[in-house]
């Protein structure tokens, strides 16, 4: 099963890893993900290779958020650059 690095729409500094339950998800899709005791919206930034060494349980993506449009790859690259250059949270870079 693939893993995805997701920008969680909260004021957190890191990207979060979630399991991708099916092939219907793509890079740039807005998804619903579990975050703590709640759920929130996130953006799939990239896919990662699954490795067998995980020390914690990785939660799956819950669903596709259809009210938001898909973000093109060039804008995803801009979000990553903006986050690194200005040392801000991924969600602020997205905004």
């Amino acid at each position: 099963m693939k893993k995805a690095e997701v920008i969680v729409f909260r004021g957190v500094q890191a990207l979060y890893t979630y399991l991708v339950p099916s092939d219907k998800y793509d890079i740039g899709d807005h998804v619903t993900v579990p975050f703590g005791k709640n759920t929130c919206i996130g953006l799939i930034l990239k896919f990662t290779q699954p490795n067998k060494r995980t020390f914690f349980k990785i939660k799956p993506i819950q669903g596709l958020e259809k009210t938001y449009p898909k973000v093109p790859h060039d804008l995803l690259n801009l979000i990553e650059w903006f986050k690194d250059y200005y040392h801000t949270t991924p969600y602020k870079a997205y905004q």
Side-chain angles (χ1 to χ4, degrees):
M1 198 176 282
K2 288 193 293 189
K3 295 179 186 176
E5 296 290 322
V6 176
I7 295 174
V8 177
F9 288 10
R10 296 278 192 266
V12 293
Q13 195 65 31
L15 298 173
Y16 285 82
T17 303
Y18 291 93
L19 289 175
V20 180
S22 68
D23 290 337
K24 70 177 183 177
Y25 301 102
D26 196 16
I27 294 173
D29 284 341
H30 289 86
V31 292
T32 304
V33 293
F35 191 74
K37 294 182 180 180
N38 300 320
T39 60
C40 66
I41 298 173
L43 174 70
I44 297 177
L45 191 61
K46 57 187 165 187
F47 292 123
T48 59
Q49 295 297 328
N51 59 6
K52 296 180 183 184
R53 302 177 97 195
T54 56
F55 299 104
F56 50 89
K57 183 179 176 185
I58 300 175
K59 297 177 182 178
I61 293 172
Q62 292 181 340
L64 193 61
E65 191 65 38
K66 296 182 181 178
T67 57
Y68 292 90
K70 185 173 182 171
V71 178
H73 288 281
D74 57 342
L75 289 180
L76 293 174
N77 293 335
L78 179 63
I79 290 169
E80 280 194 286
W81 174 84
F82 191 93
K83 175 183 72 71
D84 294 336
Y85 187 80
Y86 289 106
H87 302 288
T88 187
T89 65
Y91 182 52
K92 284 290 183 187
Y94 168 83
Q95 289 177 320

